[in-house]
Amino acid sequence: MSTSKVKCIGILTGGGDCPGLNAVIRAVVKTAVLKGVDVVGIQDGFLGLVENSMKVLGPEDVSNILTRGGTILGSSNKDNPFHLLERGKSGKVRFHDRGEEIPKNLKRLGIEALVVLGGDGSMTVAQKLSRKGVKIVGVPKTIDNDLVGTDQTFGHDTAVSIATESIDRLHTVADSHHRVIIVEVMGRYAGWLALRAGLAGGGDIILIPEMPYEEKKVGEAILERRKRGKKSSIVVIAEGAHPKGGKMVIDQINPLSVERIRLGGISRQLAHHLEARSGVDTRAVILGHVVRGGTPTAFDRNLATLFGVHAMDLVLKGQFGRMVALQKNQMASVPLSFVGGKTRKVPLNDNLILAAKSIGVEFGV
Ligand code: F6P
């Protein structure tokens, strides 16, 4: 039986999906059931809280989902309940603040606390709801690994593995054609994914947002390799990387979305410039959402399970307004107010950067 006063919780997944979301949901539901706490799954992120779209989750709902990618609850990275886009019959677009409805809805439904799985945007909304009295525990997810307060988010390890395998495959294409292949990976404004997959995949040049590069130096590094008999080169570039004094490449701006800026395309721009500069056959490959899909790695399944169990621990102890975290290999938690609106970037003295430099990987600086 539960030692806490909480008898019913809600759980939702906000923001972009990532591998391991289902593993967290499973851990939360299994722990809750054993403690005599009911769990309600809220559909499509915070939207389900205003539209009352939800269903009770029992053990049968979370059976066989440990290995499944995506989220059984659905997600949304464009619906902020405090600034919710609604289209009238005429097609006219308006924003409504429907955040006020959420505490009332939860009370009416008997949901006493919420477990919110999400990234920076979701933690910001969670913090706002928490200030309105909603009891919340956050769980950090994102392939980008850019959330402050935790050493790692779940989903990141899987994305690194998929990106690494893709780079492995592109080596043979580059070798066969004596080409330069520029592999672009997601990661938003942080270079964790590019750095970790780039080094694991034997990338020759790694370009990340934290280290604005000089195109001239990237070109020189490729020609230098050719002089040494290396006819192909692999460049791994983060979507947020940019030349010194230059700008990030934006694929699209959607003023109506919470995530207004969609990055993407820097690899194509760099490929054109490098080919023109060096005369070497160059291709750009954008991995995009591929790294977000499919089965989580064993590491991510275990991290997700640890996070889910720890989140329930906080719920049962009545410790709300916090996000669970991994710190120095131990479960910990940080206040939600510490997380929102910040980006955890790769420090320039990160061990992987230093190791990469030691073995001759170029960063274009
Ligand atoms: O935050 C995760 C992420 O995959 C980023 O790496 C990327 O910039 C963004 O989401 C893509 O968002 P969307 O799924 O809306 O295209």
Side-chain angles (χ1 to χ4, degrees):
M1 286 300 285
S2 165
T3 52
S4 103
K5 292 189 189 95
V6 173
K7 293 279 176 252
C8 177
I9 62 164
I11 183 166
L12 68 84
T13 53
D17 75 325
C18 83
L21 286 165
N22 288 326
V24 179
I25 297 169
R26 170 181 176 267
V28 167
V29 172
K30 281 184 173 245
T31 311
V33 167
L34 288 174
K35 300 285 181 189
V37 177
D38 293 334
V39 183
V40 175
I42 293 142
Q43 312 274 312
D44 300 330
F46 291 102
L47 192 62
L49 280 179
V50 289
E51 292 187 342
N52 289 318
S53 154
M54 46 193 81
K55 68 170 243 182
V56 173
L57 294 178
E60 63 291 349
D61 297 298
V62 296
S63 174
N64 271 326
I65 65 167
L66 177 63
T67 58
R68 201 191 302 171
T71 161
I72 58 164
L73 295 175
S75 191
S76 164
N77 59 359
K78 53 182 194 324
D79 295 307
N80 174 354
F82 294 97
H83 194 65
L84 199 60
L85 183 141
E86 283 172 348
R87 254 173 233 282
K89 279 194 187 116
S90 62
K92 208 170 159 204
V93 162
R94 286 212 322 218
F95 286 98
H96 289 279
D97 180 352
R98 298 191 59 188
E100 297 297 332
E101 297 170 32
I102 291 176
K104 290 181 216 143
N105 285 351
L106 291 172
K107 198 162 178 209
R108 186 173 45 77
L109 294 160
I111 299 173
E112 297 151 275
L114 280 182
V115 175
V116 172
L117 282 53
D120 163 35
S122 303
M123 292 307 142
T124 304
V125 172
Q127 153 72 356
K128 258 183 134 174
L129 286 173
S130 176
R131 271 195 258 120
K132 296 203 173 294
V134 180
K135 294 173 174 167
I136 298 194
V137 173
V139 181
K141 71 90 232 192
T142 167
I143 61 158
D144 305 336
N145 201 34
D146 60 351
L147 272 187
V148 297
T150 185
D151 294 344
Q152 183 130 353
T153 54
F154 69 88
H156 176 66
D157 184 66
T158 309
V160 170
S161 295
I162 299 169
T164 301
E165 194 198 322
S166 309
I167 296 166
D168 292 347
R169 289 170 187 276
L170 291 166
H171 270 290
T172 59
V173 179
D175 282 347
S176 306
H177 293 274
H178 310 316
R179 272 180 190 160
V180 173
I181 296 193
I182 306 180
V183 191
E184 177 176 326
V185 295
M186 287 182 163
R188 238 185 263 279
Y189 306 111
W192 295 104
L193 187 50
L195 175 64
R196 291 180 170 173
L199 191 62
D204 305 300
I205 298 165
I206 299 175
L207 305 174
I208 58 175
E210 292 83 351
M211 299 169 85
Y213 58 87
E214 286 180 43
E215 268 182 19
K216 189 166 166 278
K217 291 205 171 148
V218 176
E220 281 167 4
I222 288 165
L223 292 177
E224 180 57 36
R225 281 177 54 76
R226 285 178 93 81
K227 269 195 217 144
R228 284 190 276 122
K230 307 271 189 191
K231 293 206 175 117
S232 69
S233 294
I234 294 284
V235 181
V236 179
I237 188 165
E239 63 179 356
H242 52 91
K244 217 176 249 176
K247 289 194 176 121
M248 294 186 189
V249 173
I250 293 172
D251 178 43
Q252 206 181 30
I253 297 186
N254 182 353
L256 301 180
S257 176
V258 180
E259 295 291 350
R260 288 179 60 250
I261 293 176
R262 202 180 297 161
L263 295 174
I266 182 67
S267 55
R268 282 200 206 100
Q269 179 182 297
L270 184 62
H272 291 145
H273 292 185
L274 285 182
E275 197 167 69
R277 188 188 285 275
S278 67
V280 180
D281 203 15
T282 304
R283 297 287 188 278
V285 176
I286 301 180
L287 296 184
H289 296 82
V290 170
V291 302
R292 255 172 47 184
T295 309
T297 56
F299 178 91
D300 272 338
R301 292 179 208 179
N302 288 339
L303 182 60
T305 303
L306 284 168
F307 277 161
V309 169
H310 194 54
M312 270 313 291
D313 222 41
L314 295 189
V315 167
L316 294 172
K317 286 184 180 141
Q319 292 180 14
F320 297 108
R322 303 187 72 77
M323 181 188 81
V324 297
L326 179 74
Q327 289 176 356
K328 297 192 169 58
N329 242 357
Q330 300 295 320
M331 281 298 106
S333 68
V334 293
L336 283 172
S337 55
F338 178 69
V339 185
K342 297 180 195 145
T343 302
R344 193 172 76 94
K345 301 219 171 202
V346 181
L348 296 185
N349 63 351
D350 184 85
N351 281 335
L352 286 189
I353 293 186
L354 302 181
K357 283 182 176 168
S358 296
I359 62 169
V361 173
E362 288 290 336
F363 287 88
V365 291

